[in-house]
Amino acid sequence: LHSVNEGQAAMPRAKKVLKRKGKPNSGPRKGKKKKEEKKIENYDPKDITKPVPLEYSLWCMKSGASQDVIQAAQIVERRARTDVKVCPPGEHEWEYYVHYEGMDRRMDEWVSYKKLRFTGPKKKVEKKDDHHDDHHGDTVTRVRNFQEIQIGPYVMPTWYFSPFPVEYQRHSRLLFCEFCLCFFGHKSELERHSRKCTRTHPPGNEIYRSTETNIKVAMFEVDGKKEETYTQNICYIAKLFLEHKTLKYNTHPFLFYVLCEVTPKGCVMVGYFSKEKFSEYNYNLACICTLPCHQKKGFGKFLISMSYELSKIEGRSGSPETPISDLGQQAYNSYWKGKLIEILSKRKEPITINEICKLTSMTLENVTQTLKMLDILHYDNREGHHIAIPVSIIKRYEEKKAKIEANKSRVYVRPCIPSKIRWYPFHAREINKREKKKE
């Protein structure tokens, strides 16, 4: 550079340095930048001509079972009113998607301006869940993009966002073929597809079938590599009802175990679980979902029991992949408690935790955690740690089980029966294929 340009470039820099030196408490610049806090614009609740800002904290009237309840909430998104084409003069022009603080995001909903309240009871200060905030950093994914879906005769309200292709986002309801799980925005498209669709069951091998209380069930193993479209459609559906599910478009590393209700038309999906073909951390289940219209029928425990029975055949212990949803955790806790009570009630001799792990294929951590939940793991100075289960716990478990079995009018599925499973481990099948090729 020329000397003139050097002098012109140096003058402003020198002035800035002098100014900075003259300021009190000046110091060297830090490499880390401070996180910019989200600035919420000022809002006057009396001015109904302006929209309520996003991320604004307020209260909302939430519909309860018997009466409306005022609940602390936060504005997530807004849109023009959908109940009228043209907003009458003097009325508020927007409606809002709110998240109720302290509640799961499946409770989020669109509400009218009339339900919002700018004063209410004192809010409880709770610690923020960093994982939860990171998971919902994008405002788009915090708003559910479909109000409901229909599979066969069942219409189900959705709970969360699912990244369906953009061309389907304009529909409030998605329609699914109950056999191949292809989805459509219009009823006429589904009807035309149904006349051509020849599938009557999931595209895989049937590994289980049994007759339960007022229902027949079958389970199919579907390879994510061979049936990519079908397994991706399952993931789309599952994401509508699972908050922490990471949707992977590459389904090749996974096996999908699809549980079906056997009907005169064919085998219709009611739930599924997936697992990795080769798990590095010995997970026996990656994702589990029972459709909301089929919940409270025992399908969740059936899927969990099947995952552990497959682990027994593989000869190893396993556990579900984390994080797991709140409803999934409840199902697992219930299954673990029931399984341990069943073993301990029949066992007359002392038993160790390692023996329980071998009998159930549960991990040492899960067994210990469940024993603590049941409050039957005790410590004595002489004997050390020992398991002592009260008769009251066994009696309560047997009464609950007898009550369920006595109700013959409801649809109910028991945990899977090991003798009816027709399945071989995936790695054993791969070894056999390689040996046949060598021959």
Side-chain angles (χ1 to χ4, degrees):
L1 296 173
H2 298 288
S3 59
V4 177
N5 291 341
E6 286 180 359
Q8 289 176 350
M11 287 298 290
R13 175 64 184 163
K15 287 179 182 178
K16 285 182 181 179
V17 171
L18 289 171
K19 284 181 180 179
R20 190 163 63 247
K21 285 181 179 179
K23 289 183 180 180
N25 300 327
S26 62
R29 290 184 179 179
K30 294 182 180 180
K32 293 182 180 179
K33 295 181 180 179
K34 291 183 179 179
K35 290 183 180 180
E36 295 182 1
E37 295 182 358
K38 292 182 180 179
K39 293 182 179 179
I40 300 174
E41 56 188 286
N42 293 327
Y43 176 71
D44 182 11
K46 295 179 181 178
D47 187 3
I48 64 170
T49 59
K50 293 183 179 180
V52 182
L54 300 181
E55 308 295 334
Y56 194 87
S57 296
L58 36 66
W59 289 263
C60 182
M61 295 301 295
K62 187 179 186 306
S63 301
S66 56
Q67 60 181 2
D68 290 351
V69 181
I70 189 164
Q71 180 74 30
Q74 189 180 54
I75 302 295
V76 177
E77 188 57 274
R78 63 179 176 237
R79 68 185 181 189
R81 285 174 58 178
T82 55
D83 57 336
V84 290
K85 291 184 178 180
V86 180
C87 182
E91 292 189 13
H92 197 70
E93 300 179 11
W94 294 271
E95 57 187 13
Y96 300 90
Y97 192 81
V98 297
H99 167 62
Y100 297 107
E101 294 182 7
M103 302 180 73
D104 191 271
R105 290 196 176 272
R106 64 175 171 269
M107 302 299 179
D108 297 1
E109 60 181 346
W110 288 100
V111 298
S112 64
Y113 179 77
K114 293 178 181 178
K115 287 194 172 186
L116 302 182
R117 301 289 183 272
F118 297 94
T119 57
K122 290 184 179 180
K123 298 180 181 180
K124 294 180 181 179
V125 179
E126 297 179 355
K127 292 182 179 179
K128 289 186 178 181
D129 186 358
D130 294 335
H131 172 78
H132 187 79
D133 291 341
D134 293 341
H135 187 74
H136 296 284
D138 187 4
T139 307
V140 175
T141 61
R142 292 172 67 182
V143 182
R144 67 172 71 95
N145 46 346
F146 299 100
Q147 295 303 310
E148 55 190 17
I149 62 169
Q150 182 172 351
I151 303 178
Y154 299 103
V155 178
M156 293 163 275
T158 59
W159 295 354
Y160 306 108
F161 173 89
S162 183
F164 281 87
V166 180
E167 56 268 26
Y168 293 92
Q169 303 287 345
R170 57 193 176 90
H171 302 287
S172 61
R173 178 192 288 187
L174 276 185
L175 309 170
F176 287 81
C177 172
E178 55 187 341
F179 297 112
C180 69
L181 301 184
C182 290
F183 46 88
F184 306 92
H186 299 283
K187 189 177 180 181
S188 57
E189 295 175 343
L190 176 62
E191 290 174 348
R192 184 166 61 250
H193 166 83
S194 298
R195 288 194 291 269
K196 297 179 181 179
C197 185
T198 57
R199 186 167 290 169
T200 56
H201 59 78
N205 298 323
E206 183 177 328
I207 64 169
Y208 184 93
R209 183 177 287 240
S210 67
T211 302
E212 305 295 330
T213 307
N214 299 320
I215 191 173
K216 290 182 180 180
V217 295
M219 176 161 274
F220 293 82
E221 181 191 66
V222 183
D223 193 331
K225 185 177 181 180
K226 294 178 180 178
E227 301 294 339
E228 193 171 356
T229 302
Y230 181 86
T231 51
Q232 282 183 358
N233 289 345
I234 289 181
C235 292
Y236 278 132
I237 296 171
K239 185 65 186 76
L240 291 168
F241 305 106
L242 297 174
E243 183 178 17
H244 296 291
K245 177 176 173 58
T246 303
L247 188 62
K248 294 183 179 179
Y249 294 98
N250 181 18
T251 58
H252 293 193
F254 296 91
L255 293 170
F256 291 75
Y257 295 89
V258 185
L259 179 60
C260 297
E261 177 186 358
V262 181
T263 66
K265 292 182 179 180
C267 298
V268 182
M269 185 186 83
V270 297
Y272 88 103
F273 76 87
S274 61
K275 62 181 290 186
E276 291 179 293
K277 293 174 182 176
F278 304 101
S279 177
E280 185 179 352
Y281 301 101
N282 280 338
Y283 291 133
N284 64 0
L285 184 143
C287 181
I288 182 171
C289 179
T290 303
L291 295 177
C293 59
H294 296 292
Q295 290 179 358
K296 304 293 183 182
K297 298 177 183 177
F299 291 123
K301 282 188 181 179
F302 179 93
L303 292 169
I304 294 170
S305 66
M306 177 63 76
S307 69
Y308 279 106
E309 291 301 330
L310 299 186
S311 292
K312 287 180 185 178
I313 296 172
E314 291 175 331
R316 63 182 180 87
S317 298
S319 66
E321 189 175 335
T322 54
I324 191 168
S325 66
D326 56 339
L327 296 177
Q329 190 64 60
Q330 288 177 18
Y332 264 97
N333 289 342
S334 178
Y335 173 79
W336 287 336
K337 287 178 181 178
K339 199 68 180 175
L340 294 196
I341 293 170
E342 188 178 338
I343 289 170
L344 296 173
S345 63
K346 295 177 181 177
R347 185 89 173 195
K348 295 180 180 180
E349 299 176 359
I351 189 171
T352 64
I353 293 178
N354 287 330
E355 287 176 333
I356 295 174
C357 292
K358 289 179 181 179
L359 289 171
T360 60
S361 282
M362 291 166 58
T363 61
L364 185 68
E365 183 184 354
N366 293 148
V367 172
T368 307
Q369 176 189 340
T370 308
L371 291 172
K372 288 178 179 178
M373 280 192 291
L374 289 169
D375 196 21
I376 58 176
L377 185 62
H378 304 285
Y379 180 78
D380 187 86
N381 291 330
R382 294 180 181 178
E383 299 179 3
H385 285 96
H386 64 280
I387 301 168
I389 182 168
V391 180
S392 58
I393 293 179
I394 298 172
K395 188 177 180 182
R396 192 161 56 245
Y397 170 75
E398 289 177 348
E399 286 176 354
K400 184 179 179 181
K401 189 176 179 181
K403 187 178 179 181
I404 293 171
E405 292 176 355
N407 189 355
K408 300 296 183 183
S409 60
R410 64 174 290 193
V411 172
Y412 185 74
V413 178
R414 302 163 294 172
C416 72
I417 303 166
S419 59
K420 294 190 176 184
I421 299 174
R422 299 290 180 267
W423 181 83
Y424 295 96
F426 180 80
H427 64 272
R429 282 177 274 169
E430 290 296 305
I431 291 170
N432 288 336
K433 285 180 183 178
R434 290 170 189 170
E435 288 179 353
K436 286 182 180 178
K437 285 182 180 179
K438 289 179 181 178
E439 292 175 0

PDB file of all heavy atoms in Angstrom, residues 79-85 93-95 110:
ATOM      1  N   ARG A  79     -51.381 -15.701  14.228  1.00  0.00           N
ATOM      2  CA  ARG A  79     -51.856 -15.711  12.849  1.00  0.00           C
ATOM      3  C   ARG A  79     -53.158 -14.922  12.784  1.00  0.00           C
ATOM      4  O   ARG A  79     -53.769 -14.608  13.819  1.00  0.00           O
ATOM      5  CB  ARG A  79     -52.082 -17.149  12.361  1.00  0.00           C
ATOM      6  CG  ARG A  79     -53.227 -17.862  13.054  1.00  0.00           C
ATOM      7  CD  ARG A  79     -53.333 -19.311  12.614  1.00  0.00           C
ATOM      8  NE  ARG A  79     -54.464 -19.961  13.283  1.00  0.00           N
ATOM      9  CZ  ARG A  79     -54.702 -21.274  13.238  1.00  0.00           C
ATOM     10  NH1 ARG A  79     -53.881 -22.065  12.555  1.00  0.00           N
ATOM     11  NH2 ARG A  79     -55.755 -21.811  13.862  1.00  0.00           N
ATOM     12  N   ALA A  80     -53.600 -14.617  11.577  1.00  0.00           N
ATOM     13  CA  ALA A  80     -54.878 -13.923  11.407  1.00  0.00           C
ATOM     14  C   ALA A  80     -56.018 -14.839  11.822  1.00  0.00           C
ATOM     15  O   ALA A  80     -55.915 -16.066  11.712  1.00  0.00           O
ATOM     16  CB  ALA A  80     -55.045 -13.493   9.952  1.00  0.00           C
ATOM     17  N   ARG A  81     -57.083 -14.259  12.297  1.00  0.00           N
ATOM     18  CA  ARG A  81     -58.214 -15.059  12.779  1.00  0.00           C
ATOM     19  C   ARG A  81     -58.768 -15.956  11.680  1.00  0.00           C
ATOM     20  O   ARG A  81     -58.896 -15.542  10.524  1.00  0.00           O
ATOM     21  CB  ARG A  81     -59.318 -14.129  13.306  1.00  0.00           C
ATOM     22  CG  ARG A  81     -58.997 -13.530  14.657  1.00  0.00           C
ATOM     23  CD  ARG A  81     -60.023 -12.506  15.077  1.00  0.00           C
ATOM     24  NE  ARG A  81     -61.370 -13.040  15.128  1.00  0.00           N
ATOM     25  CZ  ARG A  81     -62.442 -12.338  15.518  1.00  0.00           C
ATOM     26  NH1 ARG A  81     -62.289 -11.064  15.874  1.00  0.00           N
ATOM     27  NH2 ARG A  81     -63.623 -12.891  15.542  1.00  0.00           N
ATOM     28  N   THR A  82     -59.100 -17.180  12.053  1.00  0.00           N
ATOM     29  CA  THR A  82     -59.625 -18.150  11.088  1.00  0.00           C
ATOM     30  C   THR A  82     -61.138 -18.324  11.194  1.00  0.00           C
ATOM     31  O   THR A  82     -61.744 -18.984  10.354  1.00  0.00           O
ATOM     32  CB  THR A  82     -58.964 -19.528  11.309  1.00  0.00           C
ATOM     33  OG1 THR A  82     -59.146 -19.923  12.681  1.00  0.00           O
ATOM     34  CG2 THR A  82     -57.480 -19.468  11.011  1.00  0.00           C
ATOM     35  N   ASP A  83     -61.749 -17.717  12.249  1.00  0.00           N
ATOM     36  CA  ASP A  83     -63.198 -17.875  12.425  1.00  0.00           C
ATOM     37  C   ASP A  83     -64.002 -16.907  11.568  1.00  0.00           C
ATOM     38  O   ASP A  83     -65.199 -17.103  11.356  1.00  0.00           O
ATOM     39  CB  ASP A  83     -63.576 -17.702  13.909  1.00  0.00           C
ATOM     40  CG  ASP A  83     -63.131 -16.355  14.453  1.00  0.00           C
ATOM     41  OD1 ASP A  83     -62.184 -15.777  13.897  1.00  0.00           O
ATOM     42  OD2 ASP A  83     -63.733 -15.886  15.440  1.00  0.00           O
ATOM     43  N   VAL A  84     -63.356 -15.849  11.052  1.00  0.00           N
ATOM     44  CA  VAL A  84     -64.043 -14.881  10.178  1.00  0.00           C
ATOM     45  C   VAL A  84     -63.148 -14.560   8.987  1.00  0.00           C
ATOM     46  O   VAL A  84     -61.919 -14.595   9.087  1.00  0.00           O
ATOM     47  CB  VAL A  84     -64.380 -13.577  10.942  1.00  0.00           C
ATOM     48  CG1 VAL A  84     -65.466 -13.805  11.974  1.00  0.00           C
ATOM     49  CG2 VAL A  84     -63.135 -12.978  11.587  1.00  0.00           C
ATOM     50  N   LYS A  85     -63.748 -14.261   7.851  1.00  0.00           N
ATOM     51  CA  LYS A  85     -62.974 -13.892   6.668  1.00  0.00           C
ATOM     52  C   LYS A  85     -62.459 -12.458   6.775  1.00  0.00           C
ATOM     53  O   LYS A  85     -61.321 -12.169   6.435  1.00  0.00           O
ATOM     54  CB  LYS A  85     -63.840 -14.056   5.413  1.00  0.00           C
ATOM     55  CG  LYS A  85     -64.158 -15.509   5.080  1.00  0.00           C
ATOM     56  CD  LYS A  85     -64.937 -15.613   3.782  1.00  0.00           C
ATOM     57  CE  LYS A  85     -65.210 -17.082   3.440  1.00  0.00           C
ATOM     58  NZ  LYS A  85     -65.982 -17.209   2.170  1.00  0.00           N
ATOM     59  N   GLU A  93     -57.597  -8.700  15.685  1.00  0.00           N
ATOM     60  CA  GLU A  93     -57.462  -9.352  14.385  1.00  0.00           C
ATOM     61  C   GLU A  93     -56.679 -10.671  14.414  1.00  0.00           C
ATOM     62  O   GLU A  93     -56.597 -11.348  13.401  1.00  0.00           O
ATOM     63  CB  GLU A  93     -56.757  -8.404  13.398  1.00  0.00           C
ATOM     64  CG  GLU A  93     -57.508  -7.111  13.175  1.00  0.00           C
ATOM     65  CD  GLU A  93     -56.769  -6.180  12.220  1.00  0.00           C
ATOM     66  OE1 GLU A  93     -55.791  -6.646  11.583  1.00  0.00           O
ATOM     67  OE2 GLU A  93     -57.161  -5.009  12.110  1.00  0.00           O
ATOM     68  N   TRP A  94     -56.091 -11.043  15.564  1.00  0.00           N
ATOM     69  CA  TRP A  94     -55.208 -12.207  15.595  1.00  0.00           C
ATOM     70  C   TRP A  94     -55.683 -13.264  16.587  1.00  0.00           C
ATOM     71  O   TRP A  94     -56.456 -12.971  17.513  1.00  0.00           O
ATOM     72  CB  TRP A  94     -53.784 -11.787  15.979  1.00  0.00           C
ATOM     73  CG  TRP A  94     -53.117 -10.913  14.962  1.00  0.00           C
ATOM     74  CD1 TRP A  94     -52.379 -11.305  13.888  1.00  0.00           C
ATOM     75  CD2 TRP A  94     -53.127  -9.482  14.918  1.00  0.00           C
ATOM     76  NE1 TRP A  94     -51.926 -10.223  13.177  1.00  0.00           N
ATOM     77  CE2 TRP A  94     -52.373  -9.077  13.795  1.00  0.00           C
ATOM     78  CE3 TRP A  94     -53.720  -8.495  15.722  1.00  0.00           C
ATOM     79  CZ2 TRP A  94     -52.185  -7.750  13.447  1.00  0.00           C
ATOM     80  CZ3 TRP A  94     -53.529  -7.160  15.382  1.00  0.00           C
ATOM     81  CH2 TRP A  94     -52.766  -6.800  14.258  1.00  0.00           C
ATOM     82  N   GLU A  95     -55.206 -14.504  16.367  1.00  0.00           N
ATOM     83  CA  GLU A  95     -55.334 -15.568  17.358  1.00  0.00           C
ATOM     84  C   GLU A  95     -53.943 -16.130  17.619  1.00  0.00           C
ATOM     85  O   GLU A  95     -53.035 -15.969  16.789  1.00  0.00           O
ATOM     86  CB  GLU A  95     -56.301 -16.662  16.896  1.00  0.00           C
ATOM     87  CG  GLU A  95     -55.961 -17.319  15.582  1.00  0.00           C
ATOM     88  CD  GLU A  95     -57.048 -18.277  15.112  1.00  0.00           C
ATOM     89  OE1 GLU A  95     -58.146 -18.241  15.679  1.00  0.00           O
ATOM     90  OE2 GLU A  95     -56.787 -19.053  14.174  1.00  0.00           O
ATOM     91  N   TRP A 110     -54.089 -23.408  19.780  1.00  0.00           N
ATOM     92  CA  TRP A 110     -54.486 -22.096  19.273  1.00  0.00           C
ATOM     93  C   TRP A 110     -55.676 -21.589  20.084  1.00  0.00           C
ATOM     94  O   TRP A 110     -56.627 -22.330  20.309  1.00  0.00           O
ATOM     95  CB  TRP A 110     -54.873 -22.180  17.796  1.00  0.00           C
ATOM     96  CG  TRP A 110     -53.723 -22.377  16.866  1.00  0.00           C
ATOM     97  CD1 TRP A 110     -53.315 -23.539  16.297  1.00  0.00           C
ATOM     98  CD2 TRP A 110     -52.825 -21.366  16.393  1.00  0.00           C
ATOM     99  NE1 TRP A 110     -52.213 -23.335  15.508  1.00  0.00           N
ATOM    100  CE2 TRP A 110     -51.891 -22.001  15.532  1.00  0.00           C
ATOM    101  CE3 TRP A 110     -52.712 -19.991  16.602  1.00  0.00           C
ATOM    102  CZ2 TRP A 110     -50.876 -21.306  14.903  1.00  0.00           C
ATOM    103  CZ3 TRP A 110     -51.698 -19.291  15.965  1.00  0.00           C
ATOM    104  CH2 TRP A 110     -50.784 -19.942  15.130  1.00  0.00           C
TER     105      TRP A 110
END
